[in-house]
């Protein structure tokens, strides 16, 4: 596991589960200072970030690695696999191979309009929802095309969620962020 911003300078964080500004209304992570992904995922995101940098844009990450106990807590609130992973299967987030993100202006940090906020559990957030302004559809397509170009798979029900393939090649983890941070040094 690698700390994302350490490996990819310029990436913005808005780690929502370290705040109350998420669908649970509670702070699920103690700190919003760092997040982690597997090395293969980091390498692919570096390529995405480089392409965006050339357009004066940047990635903004809402969530990446998520401890298994947090997934269990989320599942307790929303028993709907379209939006929350069933803990009996584990998730890409628990394996460090899924990332929730958007694109922002590199100089201002202002997010491109994607039509909904992160963690919107309506059809409007679905990848195939087309009743949106042309600029929103273009922004979503930019994100999707870049992510898929570098090997990620989009989640149909969330425009912001992308996973690295072959998730069963990676074990489910339930490691606290502080312990991961120490292990990364």
């Amino acid at each position: 596991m690698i700390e994302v911003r350490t490996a990819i300078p310029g990436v913005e964080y808005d780690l929502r589960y370290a705040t109350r500004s998420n669908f649970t209304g509670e702070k699920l992570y103690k700190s919003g200072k760092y997040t982690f992904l597997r090395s293969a995922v980091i390498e692919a995101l570096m390529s995405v970030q480089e392409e965006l940098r050339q357009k004066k844009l940047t990635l903004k990450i809402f969530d990446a690695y998520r401890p298994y106990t947090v997934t269990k807590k989320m599942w307790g609130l929303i028993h709907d696999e379209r939006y929350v992973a069933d803990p009996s299967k584990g998730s890409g987030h628990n394996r460090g191979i899924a990332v929730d993100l958007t694109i922002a202006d590199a100089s201002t940090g202002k997010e491109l309009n994607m039509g909904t906020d992160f963690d919107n559990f309506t059809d409007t957030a679905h990848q195939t929802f087309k009743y949106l302004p042309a600029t929103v559809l273009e922004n979503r397509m930019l994100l999707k095309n870049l992510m898929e170009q570098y090997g990620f798979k989009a989640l149909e029900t969330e425009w912001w969620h992308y996973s690295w393939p072959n998730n069963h090649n990676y074990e489910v983890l339930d490691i606290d962020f502080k312990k991961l941070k120490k292990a990364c040094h």
Side-chain angles (χ1 to χ4, degrees):
M1 298 284 277
I2 298 171
E3 205 288 315
V4 177
R5 216 173 5 208
T6 302
I8 312 172
V11 167
E12 298 283 332
Y13 284 173
D14 181 6
L15 301 175
R16 298 283 181 91
Y17 298 124
T19 71
R20 295 190 193 295
S21 181
N22 63 70
F23 80 92
T24 70
E26 64 180 279
K27 193 173 174 178
L28 299 173
Y29 303 156
K30 289 179 181 159
S31 172
K33 293 179 183 169
Y34 37 80
T35 193
F36 303 86
L37 289 166
R38 301 285 181 161
S39 59
V41 180
I42 290 284
E43 288 176 32
L45 272 184
M46 284 174 158
S47 298
V48 173
Q49 177 72 354
E50 179 55 28
E51 290 216 22
L52 289 173
R53 190 188 63 73
Q54 293 173 20
K55 300 174 192 289
K56 300 191 183 330
L57 299 169
T58 189
L59 291 171
K60 183 181 274 188
I61 297 180
F62 299 123
D63 196 29
Y65 166 70
R66 177 184 305 152
Y68 177 75
T69 51
V70 174
T71 296
K72 283 176 55 176
K73 192 177 275 191
M74 290 175 168
W75 182 252
L77 297 170
I78 297 187
H79 294 283
D80 188 339
E81 283 190 76
R82 294 176 303 163
Y83 304 109
V84 175
D86 180 343
S88 69
K89 300 173 187 173
S91 76
H93 286 291
N94 302 147
R95 291 173 168 87
I97 61 168
V99 61
D100 296 336
L101 45 64
T102 193
I103 299 172
D105 180 290
S107 61
T108 66
K110 185 178 181 342
E111 295 171 19
L112 300 189
N113 185 351
M114 296 293 185
T116 73
D117 196 7
F118 166 70
D119 269 356
N120 178 301
F121 302 142
T122 68
D123 291 351
T124 309
H126 290 201
Q127 294 279 355
T128 56
F129 191 83
K130 300 297 179 208
Y131 303 105
L132 294 163
T135 55
V136 170
L137 295 174
E138 289 167 14
N139 292 341
R140 285 187 181 189
M141 193 54 60
L142 173 63
L143 179 61
K144 185 175 183 184
N145 287 344
L146 279 173
M147 294 298 285
E148 289 182 344
Q149 176 183 339
Y150 290 101
F152 291 92
K153 185 177 184 303
L155 179 64
E156 161 55 29
T157 56
E158 299 175 349
W159 62 259
W160 57 84
H161 180 100
Y162 290 87
S163 294
W164 196 246
N166 304 315
N167 72 346
H168 294 291
N169 291 345
Y170 303 92
E171 74 274 17
V172 170
L173 301 173
D174 194 21
I175 303 169
D176 178 83
F177 288 95
K178 239 182 202 175
K179 289 180 184 169
L180 265 179
K181 183 73 172 156
K182 283 182 184 175
C184 287
H185 284 300

